[in-house]
Amino acid sequence: MAAEASSLRAVDRALPVLAVLAGSIALWYLAAIWLNAPQVIERVFADRPDWSWRELLAQTWSMDRPVLPAPHQIALDMFHSAFDWPPDSPRSLLYHAGVTSGATLLGFVLGSLLGAVLALLIVNLPTLERALFPWIIASQTVPVLAIAPIIIVILGSFNLTGLLPKALISMYLCFFPVVVAMVKGLRSPGVFERELMHTYAASKQQTFWKLRVPASLPFLFPSLRVAIAAGLVGAIVGELPTGAQAGLGARLLTGSYYGNTVQIWSALVMAALLGLTLTAGVSLVERVTLPGGRQ
Amino acid sequence: MASGQAAQDTATLHPTDKSAVVEVSDLSVIFPAKDQSVVALDRVSLTIREGEFISLIGPSGCGKTTLLRVIADLEQASSGTVLVNGMSSREARLARAYGYVFQAPALFPWRTVLQNVMLPLEIHGRSAAEGRSIAREHLERVGLTGFEGKYPWQLSGGMQQRVSIARALGFEPKLLMMDEPFGALDEITRDRLNEQLLRLWEREKRTVVFVTHSIPEAAFLSSRIVVMSARPGRIVEVIESDLPADRTLEIRETPAFMKIAHRLRVALASGHGS
């Protein structure tokens, strides 16, 4: 009975998502006709004035360099570029996804640590809040697109290339949501909870580890989900000015350089899938770390 | 007022009473404010002896909670002295001499019921195994066996407050302080918890200081009731209860109980008038 109910609930939850997916794919096919038809008529049908509607449809959904590739073209390109090459080949999409996720994860770890350290400083030294917070907020108003090349050039002059510069750009976007959420979370315990620890004559460390840290976790995890998604954007942006060596950002860049729209789209979809996977990973850790403590 | 004078005398007659758990003398607490400072307590003296169940009762703003908080070192005295087991309230707190129950259960939502009761034992450095068995024993005493693995949000308000009482008693403090612990509960739950608390006190003979604004609650629970008045916070009268220790809720229908409740009502009314 219970298993049946839970599978019913899963269907209930999946149905709206699937309906939106089906709707968007249908719209996508229509948009592909609309956007690609002028090119098809101009180039393919230039010397064949007797073309039929059926031929036009077939052509708009199978062009080499369409304005908007059809979903199945992207799916096929992703499949081939992921599985036709060994995963360590620069032609494999999985290789590039791996490069980008490496930079994202390193940046995420560094950014979360930086965020946590800043939050600790701010919570423990109230004057630091006034000194640091304006700078922390100002740092996020500088467009990452402007910062990224600067970081890469500066680190490049120290012979630091590859993973680290990208991870630093990723970190730059990651730390912010973590600082804000951790400060709020570490301060979330109420008067009763704090006075309770006081009556136990608990040390500052005990109050920190047994009250403040556990109280901050429900604030921390949503911010980590935001951070890892922002970190992925940072890593991809960091891959754009490196001369397009490797990573999903490089795939986007070479794709647009050669007008290979299908490749751009498959890199884009791959980035979206990677983002979903990474946030799902954080959610999984959250579920393991916070068992039953939800309110 | 004659009875108020009597309360002062009790304190001055036995300043170093051997059985005194709490000795408050000439305690004043003034909260500074921009326009006019608030005198929360004005030269209050009170001696609480071992094994007593003392209730502090009065209208809101009479300083009954402030008095409890000064004894617990959660608030600082402006003048006067407070001794707990012959120590200053700060030393007593550091010596973990008392358990404190707040108006709200203040349970940690990420801990199970058992882990919540184990919290003070962990902080005091007891081993996990020892803490677990002590916590189980105290949960049994408040009638919560079988709920060890539940989380606080899975329990009713009354059960949550019982967990917080078990938590306060877990490290066997000689003194238990309770600040309107049942104030947020419905009448029926409150009655039942009052009876359980009385059984607990009767069995373990700990000293209890209990803050309330309910006349029937104070009359039913206490061996001595301290009536306070507001602005400035003062003790108006101290009423000794002659009700038997093994009383049950039915005692509230008896003339002896009615008499105490009546005296409380009169004392509260006179305090209010002055």
Side-chain angles (χ1 to χ4, degrees), chain A residues 45-67:
Chain A
F45 295 155
D47 49 349
R48 288 180 46 204
D50 58 334
W51 54 270
S52 70
W53 283 103
R54 191 184 288 268
E55 281 173 303
L56 180 72
L57 281 194
Q59 288 289 337
T60 53
W61 291 344
S62 60
M63 292 174 75
D64 264 353
R65 284 159 190 216
V67 176

Side-chain angles (χ1 to χ4, degrees), chain B residues 194-195 198 216-222 247-249 251-252 257:
Chain B
N194 276 343
E195 208 169 21
L198 202 58
E217 194 171 58
F220 175 66
L221 288 173
S222 320
R247 64 196 91 141
T248 56
L249 284 170
I251 203 162
R252 294 183 301 183
F257 181 91

Side-chain angles (χ1 to χ4, degrees), chain B residues 27 58 98 214:
Chain B
L27 173 70
Y98 64 85
S214 156

Side-chain angles (χ1 to χ4, degrees), chain A residues 51-275:
Chain A
W51 54 270
S52 70
W53 283 103
R54 191 184 288 268
E55 281 173 303
L56 180 72
L57 281 194
Q59 288 289 337
T60 53
W61 291 344
S62 60
M63 292 174 75
D64 264 353
R65 284 159 190 216
V67 176
L68 178 66
H72 70 269
Q73 285 181 287
I74 299 168
L76 275 176
D77 181 71
M78 283 184 72
F79 185 81
H80 286 304
S81 54
F83 298 113
D84 285 2
W85 314 96
D88 56 346
S89 153
R91 311 192 68 157
S92 161
L93 188 59
L94 288 182
Y95 165 75
H96 293 285
V99 168
T100 304
S101 43
T104 307
L105 285 175
L106 181 61
F108 172 70
V109 169
L110 292 175
S112 306
L113 286 177
L114 176 66
V117 168
L118 284 174
L120 276 185
L121 288 174
I122 286 170
V123 169
N124 283 308
L125 304 163
T127 45
L128 266 188
E129 180 172 20
R130 267 169 289 146
L132 284 180
F133 243 113
W135 294 109
I136 290 172
I137 289 164
S139 78
Q140 299 301 301
T141 63
V142 180
V144 68
L145 264 175
I147 287 274
I150 299 173
I151 292 178
I152 282 163
V153 167
I154 292 177
L155 289 181
S157 74
F158 294 108
N159 276 329
L160 288 170
T161 54
L163 183 68
L164 192 67
K166 289 191 286 180
L168 285 180
I169 295 161
S170 173
M171 175 186 93
Y172 180 81
L173 292 184
C174 276
F175 85 93
F176 181 69
V178 178
V179 178
V180 175
M182 278 292 274
V183 167
K184 201 160 183 228
L186 289 172
R187 283 187 180 155
S188 66
V191 178
F192 287 146
E193 283 84 359
R194 292 196 315 257
E195 289 191 338
L196 184 72
M197 298 302 273
H198 187 71
T199 64
Y200 295 152
S203 68
K204 226 180 161 190
Q205 282 90 341
Q206 285 173 325
T207 306
F208 180 74
W209 289 109
K210 291 194 188 292
L211 176 61
R212 291 193 186 275
V213 169
S216 74
L217 292 184
F219 292 80
L220 175 67
F221 277 107
S223 82
L224 289 181
R225 280 200 293 272
V226 174
I228 203 160
L232 179 61
V233 172
I236 289 174
V237 167
E239 282 162 352
L240 296 178
T242 49
Q245 289 150 342
L248 291 176
R251 282 287 271 210
L252 287 172
L253 204 63
T254 49
S256 70
Y257 189 73
Y258 295 111
N260 190 343
T261 45
V262 181
Q263 186 191 320
I264 298 176
W265 277 90
S266 52
L268 203 71
V269 173
M270 194 61 188
L273 290 178
L274 186 58

Side-chain angles (χ1 to χ4, degrees), chain B residues 9-25:
Chain B
D9 287 348
T10 326
T12 42
L13 278 175
H14 315 278
T16 46
D17 195 327
K18 279 279 181 285
S19 63
V21 178
V22 179
E23 287 180 274
V24 177
S25 38

